[in-house]
């Protein structure tokens, strides 16, 4: 005997949702294009477009003027292809288990920062009969992926041999900053000098031609280091409207995401009532407590306990007591609130709600972590324009 599973999302209002304004994504890409001297822009859409929903955001970024897309893993790039997106895509974390044959068949460009990925890509090229487009990655000082200066010549040699055989085409030379979000950090100039040196070594080895894209700039470098733009910039966080260097302002970017929930329960309690696990919050008067159905499983980090704020019943309210797996409480005093009322955790900030930046600041983290942690239980609802926008 089987029981039908109701399609709850289509029948009832969801208890929580992350609204994503696609017009903000297009706006942000065009703002970044104005900042950029480079002809090309690759928008990072890894990690489900920073939690904003991979395919709709990738489309919006391309509509806004991005020329390429970037993902961490090949499987993310294959999701773009499965959705019918044909723009160039680069995937930059190659593990030995990555589906390389599928990547080449789907025209996904690959990064190689060592000799073994070149060999693995060559093997896949031979199996599929495809020529792989590869971007060689130099480690200019972040010490993550990429070849150090001492390993760079061997990587170039191996890639050039594979290119001579027709297995690969060297399509890019690239690197990544460690501290571009810390203006004036001495590593920035050092990394740029290392990158220029890596480009010179590549040129001498025979990697030449204007089709070879040189790129190093993330969002922070796109808005603050015009000398680092080269042939392409590679912004991520700024595309979603979050400032890559919050101390320097918002750069005209518009946050795309608004995270909301609907009150699941509201009730009067006495003064001196302990709230949630561990009783880390105690009411100081008779008051109304409201239950917000989002928890750390949904990305409301446990560190938000007694700390982060939300907008509810017309005012800011601090999270009252422990954030639980699926819920947290707020204390609204004598203000009216009822089941089904909307609570805004963060958004653009235009209607009094906190921003993702405020959440990041109150939790001692960066906005990247706030938005990418939002869990799979929270539906992403894509809209063309924020609800209140354009009303006036
Ligand atoms: C994530 C990422 C980016 C974008 O970084 P932001 O700081 O979000 O702009 C660019 N390049 C690489 C290699 C990345 O991993």
């Amino acid at each position: 005997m089987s029981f039908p599973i109701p399609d709850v999302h289509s029948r009832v209002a969801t208890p929580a949702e992350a609204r994503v304004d696609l017009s903000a994504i297009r706006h942000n890409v065009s703002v970044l294009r104005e900042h950029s001297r480079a002809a090309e822009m690759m928008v990072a859409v890894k990690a489900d477009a920073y939690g904003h929903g991979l395919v709709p955001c990738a489309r919006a970024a391309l509509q806004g003027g991005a020329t390429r897309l970037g993902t961490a893993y090949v499987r993310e790039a294959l999701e773009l292809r499965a959705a019918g997106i044909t723009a160039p895509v680069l995937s930059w974390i190659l593990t030995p288990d990555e589906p390389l044959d599928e990547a080449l068949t789907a025209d996904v460009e690959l990064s190689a920062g060592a000799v073994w990925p070149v060999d693995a890509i060559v093997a896949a090229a031979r199996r599929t009969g495809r020529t792989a487009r590869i971007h060689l990655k130099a480690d200019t000082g972040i010490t993550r992926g990429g070849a150090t200066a001492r390993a760079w010549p061997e990587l170039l040699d191996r890639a050039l041999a594979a290119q001579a055989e027709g297995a690969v085409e060297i399509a890019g030379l690239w690197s990544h900053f460690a501290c571009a979000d810390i203006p004036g950090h001495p590593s920035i100039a050092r990394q740029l000098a290392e990158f220029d040196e890596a480009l010179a070594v590549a040129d001498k080895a025979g990697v030449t031609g204007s089709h070879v894209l040189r790129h190093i700039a993330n969002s922070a470098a796109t808005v603050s280091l015009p000398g680092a733009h080269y042939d392409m910039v590679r912004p991520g966080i700024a595309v979603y409207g979050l400032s890559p260097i919050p101390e320097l302002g918002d750069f005209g970017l518009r946050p795309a995401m608004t995270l909301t929930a609907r009150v699941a329960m509201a009730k009067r309690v006495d003064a001196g009532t302990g709230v949630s696990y561990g009783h880390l919050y105690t009411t100081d008067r008779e008051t109304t407590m409201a239950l917000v159905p989002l928890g750390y499983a949904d990305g409301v980090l446990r560190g938000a306990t007694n700390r982060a704020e939300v907008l509810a019943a017309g005012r800011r309210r601090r999270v009252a007591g422990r954030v639980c797996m699926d819920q947290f409480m707020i204390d609204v005093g004598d203000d009216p609130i009822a089941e089904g009322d909307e609570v805004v955790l963060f958004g653009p900030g235009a209607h009094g709600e906190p921003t993702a930046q405020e959440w990041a600041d109150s939790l001692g983290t960066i906005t990247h972590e706030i938005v990418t942690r939002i869990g799979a239980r929270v539906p992403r609802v894509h809209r063309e324009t924020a609800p209140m926008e354009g009303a006036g």
Side-chain angles (χ1 to χ4, degrees):
M1 205 164 132
S2 72
F3 298 88
I5 298 168
D7 178 3
V8 286
H9 282 182
S10 68
R11 279 197 307 126
V12 296
T14 51
E17 60 187 33
R19 295 177 195 143
V20 176
D21 175 5
L22 295 174
S23 70
I25 301 230
R26 285 193 294 273
H27 163 84
N28 296 330
V29 170
S30 72
V31 165
L32 292 164
R33 290 233 56 149
E34 280 162 32
H35 277 284
S36 173
R37 294 176 173 180
E40 298 239 21
M41 176 179 290
M42 173 181 290
V43 165
V45 292
K46 60 192 177 184
D48 199 27
Y50 289 46
H52 290 63
L54 175 66
V55 170
C57 292
R59 288 212 171 94
L62 292 166
Q63 287 161 2
T67 56
R68 293 166 169 262
L69 301 168
T71 69
Y73 302 107
V74 167
R75 57 183 175 272
E76 298 174 304
L78 294 176
E79 267 184 68
L80 293 168
R81 290 290 183 253
I85 293 174
T86 57
V89 182
L90 170 66
S91 297
W92 48 67
I93 298 184
L94 211 87
T95 65
D97 306 316
E98 220 58 19
L100 293 183
D101 293 17
E102 289 87 334
L104 298 195
T105 306
D107 262 328
V108 173
E109 302 184 6
L110 299 166
S111 169
V115 163
W116 73 260
V118 176
D119 291 343
I121 292 166
V122 167
R126 289 185 186 141
R127 284 193 300 269
T128 58
R130 297 280 185 144
T131 298
R133 289 172 56 80
I134 63 173
H135 294 237
L136 301 179
K137 182 169 195 187
D139 176 7
T140 56
I142 190 172
T143 316
R144 254 176 27 177
T148 56
R150 67 172 89 177
W152 185 241
E154 190 193 355
L155 173 58
L156 291 168
D157 285 351
R158 190 65 68 98
L160 282 162
Q163 183 164 265
E165 154 192 346
V168 310
E169 181 192 348
I170 301 171
L173 298 168
W174 73 294
S175 192
H176 193 57
F177 280 115
C179 308
D181 58 335
I182 309 171
H185 194 283
S187 69
I188 294 171
R190 279 205 301 273
Q191 283 202 256
L192 280 173
E194 284 276 339
F195 191 47
D196 285 334
E197 178 61 20
L199 295 176
V201 170
D203 186 69
K204 248 179 117 182
V207 182
T208 52
S210 59
H211 67 284
V212 181
L213 294 175
R214 304 162 302 158
H215 50 106
I216 187 170
N218 58 0
S219 294
T222 301
V223 299
S224 69
L225 297 170
H229 291 173
Y230 293 90
D231 303 316
M232 178 164 81
V233 293
R234 230 172 39 232
I237 195 72
V239 169
Y240 307 99
L242 302 168
S243 178
I245 312 177
E247 317 78 278
L248 297 188
D250 66 11
F251 300 96
L253 302 165
R254 275 177 23 209
M257 184 190 287
T258 300
L259 180 62
T260 69
R262 291 189 179 281
V263 171
M265 179 169 200
K267 61 185 171 194
R268 293 294 284 177
V269 301
D270 293 334
T273 302
V275 176
S276 193
Y277 289 127
H279 282 177
L280 299 183
Y281 183 87
T282 305
T283 58
D284 60 2
R285 66 215 179 296
E286 185 187 323
T287 189
T288 300
M289 299 298 305
L291 187 160
V292 183
L294 277 173
Y296 58 77
D298 306 297
V300 178
L301 306 187
R302 203 158 168 268
T305 295
N306 283 340
R307 189 175 284 268
E309 290 182 346
V310 303
L311 178 66
R315 279 188 30 207
R316 293 285 189 99
R317 322 278 174 175
R318 185 156 290 151
V319 171
R322 264 281 181 248
V323 173
C324 309
M325 188 182 295
D326 318 296
Q327 53 191 300
F328 65 85
M329 301 298 291
I330 51 175
D331 180 344
V332 301
D334 294 329
D335 293 340
I337 196 162
E339 289 82 5
D341 284 0
E342 185 170 276
V343 175
V344 182
L345 282 80
F346 60 79
H351 307 291
E353 75 278 16
T355 59
Q357 187 64 53
E358 288 180 67
W359 270 73
D361 292 344
S362 73
L363 293 168
T365 184
I366 55 175
T367 54
H368 301 64
E369 188 178 17
I370 298 298
V371 290
T372 58
R373 284 275 195 110
I374 294 169
R377 262 197 314 206
V378 180
R380 274 61 169 179
V381 178
H382 296 94
R383 303 188 165 172
E384 280 307 316
T385 310
M388 313 294 280
E389 203 184 47

